[in-house]
Amino acid sequence: MRHLLRTLSMVAILSLVAAACGGGDDGAGDQATGDTTTTSVVDSVQPTPDPTPEPTPADTGDDGGESPDIADLEQSVVKIKAEGSFAQPDGTAAFNIAGVGTGFIISSDGIVVTNNHVTTGAALLEVFLAGDPDPVNARLLGASECWDLAVIQLVGDGYTPLEFRDEAATTGLDVFAAGYPWVLEATPEDVDYTLTAGIVSSVTADGETNWASIDEVLEHDARIRGGNSGGPLVDENLDVVGVNYAGVDGADQNFAIAAFDAQPIIDRLAAGENVDFIGINGQALGGSQGGIFVSSVESGSPADVAGIEPGDILVTLEDLLLATDGTMSQYCDVLRTQGSDSVMDFEVYRPALDAILTGQINGAPIALPDISDQVNEQAGDSGGPAPDQGGEAYTYTFVEDDSGLISVSIPTAWDDIDGSENSNFGPSIWASPDIAGWRDTWTVPGIIVESSTRPASDIPVLLEERSGFGDVCEDLGASDYDDGFYTGVLQIYGSCGGTDTFYVILAATPVEGGDYLVRVEVQAVEQRDLEAADEALATFIALV
């Protein structure tokens, strides 16, 4: 996908990300991660409720006793400050972002229900109780991406819990929505408790959104906003009717996961089990390319172990193209069919590398081309020295040649760069901390990436032309190379000029996009230079 045609298709994907995550109108609905990011995941969601049945008398569940005071509800509703770092669709990261969500207490020992999109990927959860300016720490017990539910445990006990309504909600039921709607100008600590009233207008509204997949949910007109995520929808007896999770502000549509459906899931989450969950906080993009943009990944989760990173776009799961309809339904159907603990093949597009990567959930993780391991293994087999460990790990930056046909990620410290064309080969870029020192000695690292109109059949000829390294270095052998985008031969030399320096040569041609020749050469003085070679082979684009 690093060649031109596939790169253009990824531009289409990224434009869909921007469209799905863009601001929309001033009245934003519920927001991903409790508004921890500056973009809304609901502005693009327009759930269409089923036709509303004729109203029936509201079932209040009144048992004839003294009615509870609605003011008491605040004691059981909590404000959740979630802080973490999240990838943005424009390729940047928002670090240490704090946002607000809502939850409600269901046991005296501090079990709290909220939304998955409030908690997943957050490094820190602080929970504020009514009337107390000091937060209580909490830990995540279990979560469900597809149900958009999560359960957290507060420190301490003696809390005031809510009860779930015994009967399913009915159309026309009087309800109240409690929570902490976010105001962008406010700090999380300043967000205030609110209470709104309405009725249940539909019990069969469409629950498919771009961050959850529920067949049917409650639609109601007790107004909610971003920050109400995870808060309770209650009846006049203060019994929980549903868990608020979505809203379309411009249409005054408000949605809650029915408590009658959610309770079995909540019980499993409270017991420490994740349900329909691999550990991503993501949103469906829609369009012909599909895909789910991953804004954060839960540490230690199956997605984390599989090598999925914030900023990735999950394109396929079990060879099924995901989110073509703009919802999480295809993704969640696979999880529910296979089981979250099953081995599942996946593909992600990683914009930072402009590459499609493959791996398995609960199986083989993503494997990037790893020159450093291969060099060390071949050096060991030959009895030669391993590379010096060197200094601190490099930071990287993308560079391109003067023509714009060559681009590659290189160490920022390699800032002596020559992007002029090589008259003997073609478009070219050279980079090193000191190009002259690199050319004249074995003690300075550097890289070459070049392309030529010469045909792929010239790969053996190119390697022969560069075989002079064998006179001053130890030949550690050649191996076939195929990263899915370029295929060819990788030649490794060691102990160059009597030093511990390695010289790596890749002679290759694109898998798709034309019959031409590419060469990548790296002089590696230290271990981190070999890691720079890994970075280069994973990121280079060479056109003609």
Side-chain angles (χ1 to χ4, degrees):
M1 183 152 318
R2 293 176 301 189
H3 53 79
L4 179 60
L5 297 178
R6 298 276 237 153
T7 300
L8 291 175
S9 73
M10 285 303 106
V11 171
I13 281 187
L14 292 178
S15 68
L16 287 170
V17 177
C21 304
D25 58 32
D26 290 339
D30 199 23
Q31 307 230 337
T33 66
D35 282 324
T36 55
T37 66
T38 58
T39 54
S40 168
V41 296
V42 154
D43 292 345
S44 60
V45 180
Q46 297 293 331
T48 304
D50 292 346
T52 304
E54 289 298 316
T56 57
D59 178 6
T60 65
D62 192 352
D63 61 3
E66 183 179 350
S67 297
D69 187 345
I70 192 66
D72 293 339
L73 180 59
E74 185 177 2
Q75 302 303 311
S76 303
V77 180
V78 301
K79 175 170 60 178
I80 301 173
K81 176 184 174 183
E83 187 170 356
S85 298
F86 300 87
Q88 302 290 328
D90 63 2
T92 64
F95 295 100
N96 294 353
I97 297 300
V100 170
T102 301
F104 59 93
I105 301 167
I106 61 170
S107 71
S108 61
D109 62 350
I111 301 295
V112 172
V113 175
T114 185
N115 286 145
N116 172 73
H117 76 254
V118 171
T119 61
T120 294
L124 175 65
L125 296 175
E126 292 182 334
V127 178
F128 293 83
L129 304 170
D132 189 348
D134 296 322
V136 175
N137 285 331
R139 65 183 180 92
L140 183 65
L141 295 180
S144 174
E145 291 154 16
C146 296
W147 281 92
D148 195 19
L149 291 169
V151 171
I152 62 177
Q153 171 75 65
L154 305 184
V155 174
D157 57 19
Y159 298 101
T160 304
L162 296 177
E163 301 288 339
F164 288 100
R165 179 180 167 87
D166 290 335
E167 301 173 354
T170 56
T171 305
L173 177 68
D174 290 323
V175 290
F176 301 87
Y180 291 86
W182 173 262
V183 179
L184 288 179
E185 292 77 15
T187 65
E189 289 76 12
D190 291 336
V191 174
D192 292 327
Y193 173 81
T194 66
L195 184 69
T196 57
I199 63 167
V200 173
S201 54
S202 175
V203 296
T204 57
D206 183 0
E208 300 291 350
T209 68
N210 58 349
W211 72 91
S213 177
I214 308 165
D215 289 340
E216 294 179 344
V217 295
L218 306 179
E219 183 183 354
H220 61 89
D221 61 2
R223 196 84 173 197
I224 61 175
R225 298 288 187 277
N228 277 111
S229 295
L233 186 71
V234 303
D235 62 18
E236 291 179 332
N237 290 323
L238 308 192
D239 290 334
V240 178
V241 174
V243 183
N244 288 314
Y245 87 114
V248 182
D249 193 42
D252 191 18
Q253 293 178 305
N254 313 280
F255 300 94
I257 306 160
F260 203 73
D261 298 327
Q263 269 187 275
I265 305 300
I266 291 170
D267 289 342
R268 293 169 66 184
L269 303 182
E273 179 184 356
N274 293 319
V275 179
D276 302 331
F277 174 93
I278 65 169
I280 65 171
N281 198 329
Q283 61 188 72
L285 302 180
S288 60
Q289 299 290 347
I292 296 170
F293 179 78
V294 179
S295 63
S296 62
V297 179
E298 188 75 18
S299 295
S301 66
D304 184 32
V305 173
I308 296 175
E309 297 180 354
D312 285 348
I313 298 172
L314 184 59
V315 180
T316 68
L317 189 61
E318 284 292 275
D319 296 323
L320 183 70
L321 187 63
L322 302 177
T324 56
D325 63 353
T327 77
M328 297 283 277
S329 61
Q330 292 153 322
Y331 167 77
C332 290
D333 284 346
V334 174
L335 290 190
R336 288 163 175 160
T337 298
Q338 302 293 326
S340 299
D341 57 353
S342 296
V343 176
M344 291 174 280
D345 294 335
F346 69 84
E347 293 178 313
V348 296
Y349 170 64
R350 182 160 296 170
L353 302 181
D354 192 19
I356 287 284
L357 307 175
T358 62
Q360 293 178 320
I361 301 295
N362 303 311
I366 290 171
L368 296 172
D370 197 338
I371 300 304
S372 56
D373 283 351
Q374 187 171 342
V375 166
N376 280 287
E377 180 180 346
Q378 289 180 231
D381 289 344
S382 68
D388 183 76
Q389 290 303 302
E392 295 181 0
Y394 287 126
T395 59
Y396 293 91
T397 186
F398 268 96
V399 296
E400 62 179 27
D401 74 315
D402 294 346
S403 70
L405 295 173
I406 307 289
S407 64
V408 64
S409 176
I410 64 168
T412 306
W414 296 7
D415 54 1
D416 188 1
I417 299 169
D418 181 356
S420 60
E421 181 166 338
N422 179 349
S423 58
N424 295 319
F425 202 80
S428 171
I429 190 164
W430 292 47
S432 170
D434 174 10
I435 290 180
W438 167 37
R439 285 172 166 164
D440 296 338
T441 75
W442 295 108
T443 58
V444 179
I447 185 172
I448 304 169
V449 183
E450 296 181 338
S451 61
S452 171
T453 55
R454 293 167 59 177
S457 58
D458 267 7
I459 287 177
V461 178
L462 173 60
L463 292 173
E464 178 62 29
E465 291 170 355
R466 307 301 285 167
S467 64
F469 285 99
D471 298 332
V472 289
C473 304
E474 180 182 356
D475 187 345
L476 297 180
S479 60
D480 292 336
Y481 178 88
D482 186 346
D483 62 12
F485 313 105
Y486 295 90
T487 182
V489 177
L490 187 71
Q491 171 69 56
I492 300 174
Y493 294 99
S495 301
C496 293
T499 70
D500 293 344
T501 294
F502 292 83
Y503 204 88
V504 178
I505 301 173
L506 172 65
T509 190
V511 174
E512 300 176 27
D515 182 16
Y516 61 92
L517 199 58
V518 174
R519 74 172 180 179
V520 180
E521 300 186 13
V522 178
Q523 182 163 296
V525 179
E526 302 173 340
Q527 176 65 34
R528 60 179 180 167
D529 301 330
L530 291 173
E531 293 163 1
D534 291 337
E535 176 79 6
L537 292 186
T539 60
F540 79 89
I541 298 173
L543 307 175
V544 292

